Amino acid sequence: MSRYTVGTRSAGAGSTTLPVGSLYAVASRSAFLREVGVFNTTTTAVAIRLARLTTAGTQGTGLTEEKYHGTDDTPDMTAFDTHTVGPTIATGNLRVAPLGAAIGAGVIWTFAEPGIYIPAGTANGVGIVVASGTGQVLDWYMEWDE
């Protein structure tokens, strides 16, 4: 397996229905999510959650996924900035955390071997979603294995 990463400052604040960021499988390839980091860029607290996404909705700007090693294949998974139309967000949370009312307040979630499975299929993904409160612009990253 090869490891990949993506990171950005979100273009939008997201909401309980619009992920701030997401990572989706492609039709023929699955992956294992290994780590997610999310950090506040404002002085307003916000609660976030990591949830499975089961439809695409209207994804925001496509991001540039990066290889950990130059000899790895090009990543197949696709990452997106803030959604403009909400996907279907599965019931239940993979993780939940409050981000304090300070710039840089954040959380890093790591997942034991082999990671959180994202099955093949363009509607299968994970997203960073506001759990409660007013959405904020966030810095975030995800790392995964394919």
Side-chain angles (χ1 to χ4, degrees), residues 4-136:
Y4 302 94
T5 188
V6 68
T8 194
R9 175 164 287 176
S10 66
S15 68
T16 57
T17 60
L18 299 174
V20 174
S22 59
L23 181 68
Y24 280 87
V26 294
S28 61
R29 183 83 177 203
S30 60
F32 292 93
L33 185 65
R34 298 308 309 263
E35 184 171 303
V36 176
V38 187
F39 305 91
N40 202 342
T41 67
T42 73
T43 56
T44 302
V46 61
I48 58 165
R49 66 190 188 111
L50 183 68
R52 290 194 183 276
L53 308 176
T54 59
T55 64
T58 302
Q59 299 152 330
T61 301
L63 302 174
T64 301
E65 303 83 13
E66 298 289 337
K67 311 175 202 181
Y68 259 47
H69 304 287
T71 58
D72 288 339
D73 293 333
T74 301
D76 289 317
M77 301 291 283
T78 53
F80 298 95
D81 200 349
T82 314
H83 287 233
T84 58
V85 174
T88 301
I89 301 171
T91 303
N93 302 313
L94 298 170
R95 295 286 192 273
V96 178
L99 301 183
I103 294 171
V107 63
I108 296 174
W109 293 310
T110 58
F111 309 106
E113 185 71 34
I116 293 176
Y117 181 63
I118 303 171
T122 59
N124 298 322
V126 294
I128 301 163
V129 181
V130 174
S132 64
T134 302
Q136 303 298 315

